Amino acid sequence: MIDDSILSAYSVTFADLNGDGVRELMVNNHEKDEKTNGIWAYEQPKDWMTGDWTRHTLADGFKNAFSLTVPGMAPGFPYPFYPQTMEEHHIGNPAHILVAGDGDFTAWLMTPEDMSNWEWERDVLTKPKGTVGALTFADLDQDGWNEVWVPDYDHSKIEVFRFFDEQERTMMQ
């Protein structure tokens, strides 16, 4: 048992979240109450079988949308994410985190802010009027930057978001 205070774990990912070269365990739950839901990182102890796993709260307070039929539960799956696909952009850099909000009807992008305090800034990527299920990302146009697919399960839609260099954005305007 690593932590029995987060209720039921929903998703578990082993990745270097803070860019220090050591992988951490990222875990979320999937709850109705915004006071109990969240995403956490656990630092692996030297002896992972008997040591204490240090916990860090990455995000919490996901507010579920109201539904008459099925109660909303959030957050959905979190994904370690790098906007750029080339491996040299990943080494030594903290991961962004994509979050399928699921019952909060939001797709989130968490950007590394202060790794000494395990802080990510959480921004809305999109807020469709339906359940945001599992996300995926890949470099569809092979330009070195990922695109992110965001499904809206309730309306049978998928939005695609493109990441690119700020200089490229200036040239596009």
Side-chain angles (χ1 to χ4, degrees):
M1 175 68 67
I2 292 174
D3 185 352
D4 63 357
S5 70
I6 66 167
L7 304 174
S8 299
Y10 187 66
S11 168
V12 177
T13 305
F14 203 46
D16 179 11
L17 299 173
N18 64 355
D20 66 356
V22 177
R23 294 186 300 172
E24 295 83 26
L25 200 61
M26 181 170 60
V27 178
N28 74 300
N29 64 10
H30 190 67
E31 298 295 324
K32 297 174 196 171
D33 187 351
E34 68 191 68
K35 294 179 185 118
T36 59
N37 65 31
I39 303 169
W40 299 272
Y42 296 87
E43 293 181 75
Q44 181 178 342
K46 292 196 186 319
D47 182 351
W48 63 274
M49 290 294 288
T50 61
D52 291 328
W53 293 69
T54 303
R55 181 173 96 173
H56 303 279
T57 300
L58 305 183
D60 59 9
F62 293 88
K63 293 175 178 40
N64 287 297
F66 176 76
S67 172
L68 285 173
T69 55
V70 177
M73 296 177 77
F77 304 120
Y79 307 87
F81 171 75
Y82 293 91
Q84 290 185 274
T85 59
M86 295 165 284
E87 187 68 30
E88 62 264 19
H89 294 286
H90 305 190
I91 298 169
N93 291 312
H96 291 65
I97 300 171
L98 288 170
V99 182
D102 201 1
D104 77 352
F105 292 7
T106 307
W108 300 95
L109 175 63
M110 294 172 51
T111 305
E113 179 120 328
D114 178 3
M115 292 302 92
S116 64
N117 290 312
W118 288 82
E119 292 177 6
W120 276 259
E121 180 179 335
R122 183 170 63 178
D123 293 303
V124 172
L125 183 59
T126 186
K127 194 166 181 64
K129 294 183 177 6
T131 304
V132 175
L135 308 176
T136 193
F137 54 90
D139 184 4
L140 181 66
D141 55 9
Q142 298 180 352
D143 67 351
W145 293 83
N146 276 309
E147 287 76 40
V148 176
W149 283 263
V150 179
D152 173 349
Y153 285 3
D154 298 329
H155 299 99
S156 300
K157 293 182 186 177
I158 297 175
E159 291 182 88
V160 179
F161 294 87
R162 181 174 178 242
F163 287 80
F164 51 85
D165 187 287
E166 186 64 30
Q167 290 177 338
E168 182 181 344
R169 178 180 168 166
T170 304
M171 291 187 297
M172 290 171 45
Q173 293 178 345

